Amino acid sequence: MKTESAAHRFGRVALVGRPNVGKSTLLNAILGTKLSIVTPKPQTTRHRIIGIETRADAQIAFIDTPGLHQGGKYALNRQLNRVARQVPEEADLLVHVIDGARWRDEDEDVWQLIAKQSVPRLLVVNKVDKLADKKALLPFAAEITRERPYAAVHFLVARRGDGVPALLDDIIGFLPEGPAQFGEDEFTDRSERFLAAELVREQLMLQLGAELPYAAAVEIERFEDAPDITRIGAVVWVEREGQKGIVIGAGGAQLKKIGSSARRSMERVFDRRVFLELWVRVRESWSDDAAALKQFGYSE
Ligand SMILES: Nc1nc2c(ncn2[C@@H]2O[C@H](COP(=O)(O)OP(=O)(O)OP(=O)(O)O)[C@@H](O)[C@H]2O)c(=O)[nH]1
Ligand SMILES: [Mg+2]
């Protein structure tokens, strides 16, 4: 019997959903590497980040997005939602991620957004490990899809990678035929400089409580590659003098802890030694200031 190899496929796949449902966790699980930062707090992702998966038969450019949300009142919130709203327009396939068997108003907002696109939509019910009653899943999915035409539904535990290979196979089947658009060894559109800033912000979000994670932005001032080490200098911008003290901590202990965790993540991701210096500075109400958002790389 003659075997014919399937045509090569290429497509852009947007990961969309409200904040905190596991979009970035899913991206990292698909790529098998850490690209997008993940924290238990909503509004972790602030940028459109492309992660490229290259296989023999297909190349897929996954686009991670900020969670579409209600109620945010600052220019930063509007910018995050602007990115979340734009991305579906450039995708060949939309993957809508939700958290367990719950459908909130913000999930409905995402559906309303993607329903306008003429490309296929997949529903990913993530975090099914948290559900005590797994029997509720199928009736829930049937109810959601009755009036909302998703092309398929997948149940996932993105944090453990459960369900990810089957989802990936399904995604490839929906993509148009076409040649690869990125080099074989390219895995993102983002620079190491960008990833370094994100890894510092991840530690700020993980280690600081209350409102501080939302008041922090990171700007890389120095990024120098030497043969044996990369030297990175970064500024943590906060909105008020009092926040500066919290980030620095007694005797500088908090900032030191943030810095050493971020440095270790960078060494893992970049696979080389890193020397990291952090400074904390105040930029009054930056998250509601268009010029500051631009300076910190939030508007493209
Ligand atoms: N129990 C469980 N937790 C998960 C799973 N996937 C992700 N999480 C957790 O959910 C939280 C949010 O994950 P993220 O990947 O940052 O979510 P996101 O949708 O990218 O969030 P934003 O960037 O804020 O929009 C983190 O604490 C993850 O570890 C899962 O399958 N099961
Ligand atoms: Mg995210």
Side-chain angles (χ1 to χ4, degrees), residues 68-254:
L68 188 71
H69 59 283
Q70 299 179 348
K73 52 187 187 297
Y74 301 116
L76 178 61
N77 297 105
R78 290 193 292 278
Q79 174 60 20
L80 300 184
N81 280 336
R82 198 171 302 134
V83 176
R85 288 180 183 287
Q86 275 165 359
V87 167
E89 294 177 9
E90 54 177 302
D92 300 297
L93 177 75
L94 296 163
V95 174
H96 181 190
V97 185
I98 63 172
D99 177 344
R102 272 187 303 175
W103 187 263
R104 295 194 186 167
D105 287 351
E106 285 180 331
D107 298 309
E108 183 62 25
D109 291 344
V110 175
W111 165 255
Q112 293 298 333
L113 174 70
I114 65 176
K116 293 189 202 129
Q117 305 299 322
S118 55
V119 297
R121 296 162 287 252
L122 304 187
L123 179 65
V124 164
V125 181
N126 189 33
K127 308 196 191 184
V128 299
D129 56 315
K130 290 198 312 189
L131 290 176
D133 181 15
K134 304 270 192 293
K135 288 200 297 295
L137 276 173
L138 288 178
F140 166 78
E143 168 76 29
I144 294 301
T145 54
R146 186 169 304 131
E147 285 169 7
R148 300 176 189 86
Y150 289 95
V153 182
H154 285 257
F155 300 102
L156 254 66
V157 184
R159 188 142 81 177
R160 295 202 302 245
D162 296 2
V164 172
L167 173 66
L168 199 49
D169 285 346
D170 207 12
I171 286 172
I172 291 171
F174 281 105
L175 296 185
E177 289 178 10
Q181 308 262 319
F182 296 91
E184 236 174 82
D185 49 9
E186 268 178 272
F187 92 108
T188 181
D189 63 330
R190 292 292 178 168
S191 62
E192 285 191 340
R193 213 183 154 97
F194 170 84
L195 299 179
E198 287 290 272
L199 292 170
V200 174
R201 202 165 57 77
E202 180 174 56
Q203 291 306 320
L204 292 163
M205 292 201 70
L206 288 173
Q207 297 194 31
L208 302 171
E211 85 280 18
L212 251 164
Y214 302 100
V218 178
E219 191 181 25
I220 302 294
E221 289 210 319
R222 186 160 74 113
F223 194 105
E224 289 164 12
D225 274 325
D228 57 337
I229 197 163
T230 298
R231 294 175 195 282
I232 300 170
V235 177
V236 176
W237 290 98
V238 293
E239 302 202 293
R240 291 192 305 274
E241 210 48 55
Q243 294 170 335
K244 186 173 163 181
I246 300 172
V247 176
I248 294 173
Q254 179 67 76

Side-chain angles (χ1 to χ4, degrees), residues 75-76 79 286-299:
L76 178 61
Q79 174 60 20
W286 68 261
S287 69
D288 207 21
D289 171 351
L293 291 187
K294 199 153 183 221
Q295 181 187 335
F296 303 156
Y298 290 124
S299 39

